[in-house]
Amino acid sequence: MNRLQKNCLNCDKPLKGRIDKKYCDPRCKSAHQYKIERERPERFFNKVDNQLRLNRRLLKEYNKAGKAIVRQSLLMEEGFDPNFFTHYWKNQKRDVYLFVYEYGFLSKKENGNDKYVLIKWQDYMAK
C-alpha cells in the first residue's frame, strides 16, 4: 500500500490508519496549525482592527463622564494612534473631531501642552 504521507507533519512519528492521514492525533494537528499561523505575517486588516480596538478602549477609559481633556502624551504612551479612526464630525466652530466608533477626540493646544478633548457621540451629531 502506497501512502501519501508517511509521517506526522508535526511530530514526524509514523502514521497508522487512513492512507491520506497527515497527523497522528488531534493535538498534533492543532499544534502544527498553530505553528504555521504564528509564522504567517500579520495581515493588514488585523493590524488596523487591533489599533482601532485599542484606540476605542483608551478613549472610553479616559472619558468616563462624556467629555474630558487629556494630555496627548498620556494616551500615546499607552499605544494610542490618532491616525486610526472610523469617521469624523465637524462642529459649528469648524473644529473636526475624529471618532473611533462612538468615542471622539479633538487635538488642542492648552497652556503650551498638546491635549485631546474627548467626547462621546451624541444623536444631534448625526444631522
Side-chain angles (χ1 to χ4, degrees):
M1 189 185 310
N2 188 10
R3 296 187 68 82
L4 296 175
Q5 177 70 36
K6 295 184 181 187
N7 295 332
C8 176
L9 291 175
N10 186 56
C11 67
D12 208 33
K13 289 181 183 174
L15 293 173
K16 297 176 186 164
R18 290 180 25 186
I19 195 165
D20 60 344
K21 194 171 183 180
K22 295 180 183 181
Y23 307 97
C24 55
D25 61 31
R27 195 177 320 162
C28 269
K29 179 179 180 181
S30 179
H32 187 253
Q33 290 173 340
Y34 179 74
K35 184 171 67 174
I36 289 172
E37 194 59 38
R38 272 195 334 209
E39 293 169 356
R40 191 179 288 170
E42 189 175 25
R43 295 190 324 241
F44 177 74
F45 170 82
N46 294 29
K47 289 180 183 179
V48 171
D49 189 47
N50 289 340
Q51 187 63 54
L52 284 172
R53 287 188 306 165
L54 175 62
N55 283 0
R56 182 188 179 276
R57 183 180 60 76
L58 291 171
L59 292 173
K60 180 180 181 182
E61 185 178 314
Y62 284 96
N63 185 9
K64 300 275 187 207
K67 184 173 183 182
I69 298 176
V70 181
R71 287 184 184 235
Q72 285 184 9
S73 59
L74 182 64
L75 288 177
M76 301 294 218
E77 287 170 6
E78 294 198 40
F80 184 81
D81 187 340
N83 297 312
F84 289 81
F85 57 93
T86 55
H87 60 288
Y88 68 92
W89 173 71
K90 194 182 293 186
N91 67 9
Q92 291 177 342
K93 296 178 189 175
R94 315 295 287 165
D95 295 328
V96 177
Y97 285 84
L98 303 177
F99 277 82
V100 182
Y101 304 108
E102 74 273 33
Y103 295 97
F105 62 98
L106 169 70
S107 185
K108 180 179 183 178
K109 203 165 213 43
E110 190 175 276
N111 299 328
N113 295 315
D114 292 326
K115 297 189 176 187
Y116 286 130
V117 178
L118 308 181
I119 62 172
K120 190 168 181 186
W121 183 264
Q122 303 295 317
D123 290 337
Y124 71 87
M125 296 174 178
K127 296 176 185 172

